[in-house]
Amino acid sequence: MSDESEGSAFGEGYVIPIAGLLSFMFALMAGLTAQRALSGDPTDVAVTVGFAVVAVLALRIRMKAVAARTSDDERAGEE
């Protein structure tokens, strides 16, 4: 007895909050390391910029998941 729903292994309900939390966490870490980056070595700037880039990427993943979920809801409403 198999489920032939062709869905993903991950529930759609988990992607949006987890990506949001990851984005917040990395943005917070970027903010916490900003003071040290501005007054320290150039390598400290790389750490802060890296955290900021990962935060933006997680936010983009969250926005794509929200858009996909919205389009799926619209398709389900049309049927």
Side-chain angles (χ1 to χ4, degrees), residues 34-53:
Q35 181 181 5
R36 193 171 87 191
L38 294 174
S39 64
D41 294 331
T43 57
D44 292 337
V45 174
V47 171
T48 302
V49 170
F51 284 149
V53 168

Side-chain angles (χ1 to χ4, degrees), residues 21-46:
L21 288 174
L22 283 173
S23 177
F24 176 73
M25 181 186 70
F26 279 107
L28 182 65
M29 289 191 304
L32 290 174
T33 59
Q35 181 181 5
R36 193 171 87 191
L38 294 174
S39 64
D41 294 331
T43 57
D44 292 337
V45 174

Side-chain angles (χ1 to χ4, degrees), residues 22-23 26-27 50-63:
L22 283 173
S23 177
F26 279 107
F51 284 149
V53 168
V54 172
V56 169
L57 289 175
L59 190 60
R60 294 278 311 233
I61 290 170
R62 183 183 183 279
M63 290 186 328

